[in-house]
Amino acid sequence: MSNIDYDVRVKAIEVEQENGRVSEPARMIQVKFHRLKIVRFYPSPPTADYDGIGYESRELISKRSIHVPASNLPLDQALAQKRALEVINNMRIPEHVKDEILEELLSVLEEKISASSNAVSGTRIVIVVGIALVKWQGLNNRQFEDLIIRRAEMQSMEDKAKPIPASKESIEALETVAFDELKECVVCMAEIETGTEGIRMPCLHFYHQDCIKKWLQSSRVCPLCRYEMLPEQEQ
């Protein structure tokens, strides 16, 4: 088993512009690069009942973003590759991993730019590129058993604390504001364009209207600070 590896994943997300407004950035595809560090643990030496399932910890190391024109067909691969490489080189990614990232990214860009000509007006595309440095760390049997017990206890606590939706009234009462500066919605990981309308929660954190309303229909807490809205069951 190799102790160090890289895991690359490219995912495209469609984000609705508020009130169907299509600004100049909406005709661009935003590409967000997230570099992570993942440590996966395994018993060393492997026990007879080890099923190959690893337990891991994750840490976000850095993130950057670029914009690629969404109206140009065919895709300007040279421009897209140049902008992507500027980010990737700053992240100190090995050469063989760079090739994999570019191949997957250009493929997704081609697909989404071709589809954008038929897309519903008022939507924009965000592509998230996850680049994870994966390290495997062996633990002796006692350490691995302790890890399994801690994870089981945490899972039990999470099961007991299942999310509670916010009340419909509290969601409808949220403040709608027009943004006068560029912000990021942590729900969809996309930028909130200047001049668009969004939601400002009582804790003063900002989100796209659709993003935070859908979030609060499942969980009454702010994604950033855990501020608690009035729960549905208390109505």
Side-chain angles (χ1 to χ4, degrees):
M1 177 185 296
S2 174
N3 288 332
I4 298 179
D5 197 4
Y6 275 86
D7 186 8
V8 176
R9 303 190 183 186
V10 181
K11 179 181 180 181
I13 305 170
E14 290 190 5
V15 180
E16 288 190 12
Q17 296 287 100
E18 301 297 344
N19 301 323
R21 180 178 181 273
V22 183
S23 59
E24 185 63 30
R27 292 188 283 272
M28 306 285 284
I29 292 181
Q30 183 183 17
V31 183
K32 301 180 74 69
F33 295 83
H34 292 179
R35 185 168 185 265
L36 304 98
K37 177 182 178 182
I38 299 177
V39 180
R40 290 179 178 157
F41 303 98
Y42 65 95
S44 179
T47 58
D49 58 349
Y50 177 55
D51 56 9
I53 298 177
Y55 296 83
E56 63 183 40
S57 64
R58 292 172 173 250
E59 178 185 359
L60 178 63
I61 303 299
S62 61
K63 60 180 181 179
R64 297 278 301 278
S65 66
I66 62 173
H67 288 84
V68 177
S71 56
N72 295 343
L73 280 173
L75 168 68
D76 187 342
Q77 291 202 7
L79 174 63
Q81 183 167 311
K82 177 183 177 182
R83 292 183 178 178
L85 275 174
E86 289 175 354
V87 173
I88 296 170
N89 287 335
N90 286 334
M91 290 183 168
R92 299 179 181 179
I93 306 297
E95 290 298 325
H96 71 282
V97 182
K98 292 180 186 178
D99 294 339
E100 180 182 353
I101 296 169
L102 291 174
E103 181 179 351
E104 290 194 37
L105 175 58
L106 293 177
S107 175
V108 173
L109 279 170
E110 283 276 16
E111 176 187 345
K112 291 302 176 182
I113 288 179
S114 298
S116 66
S117 58
N118 299 319
V120 178
S121 177
T123 62
R124 61 192 294 262
I125 299 170
V126 178
I127 296 177
V128 179
V129 181
I131 310 164
L133 171 63
V134 182
K135 293 185 177 182
W136 291 86
Q137 181 176 330
L139 302 177
N140 63 43
N141 292 339
R142 177 63 180 276
Q143 291 173 323
F144 193 73
E145 287 176 2
D146 289 344
L147 176 62
I148 293 175
I149 293 172
R150 290 199 303 272
R151 290 300 175 92
E153 290 173 345
M154 291 175 61
Q155 184 64 51
S156 177
M157 292 175 63
E158 290 173 0
D159 291 342
K160 292 179 181 178
K162 290 183 178 179
I164 300 171
S167 70
K168 184 181 297 185
E169 290 81 2
S170 66
I171 295 176
E172 292 176 349
L174 287 169
E175 182 183 10
T176 301
V177 296
F179 294 100
D180 56 6
E181 60 180 294
L182 197 66
K183 294 184 179 293
E184 182 179 76
C185 173
V186 301
V187 177
C188 67
M189 303 301 293
E191 293 175 350
I192 306 174
E193 269 47 314
T194 303
T196 60
E197 289 190 343
I199 293 290
R200 179 165 60 194
M201 290 187 61
C203 55
L204 303 183
H205 289 126
F206 298 87
Y207 303 96
H208 288 119
Q209 292 191 47
D210 288 344
C211 291
I212 193 60
K213 286 181 179 179
K214 288 178 182 177
W215 175 280
L216 292 173
Q217 288 168 6
S218 299
S219 173
R220 67 185 178 122
V221 300
C222 170
L224 277 172
C225 69
R226 314 300 291 174
Y227 171 87
E228 296 183 354
M229 300 281 287
L230 190 64
E232 182 66 39
Q233 64 213 47
E234 290 184 6
Q235 295 299 304

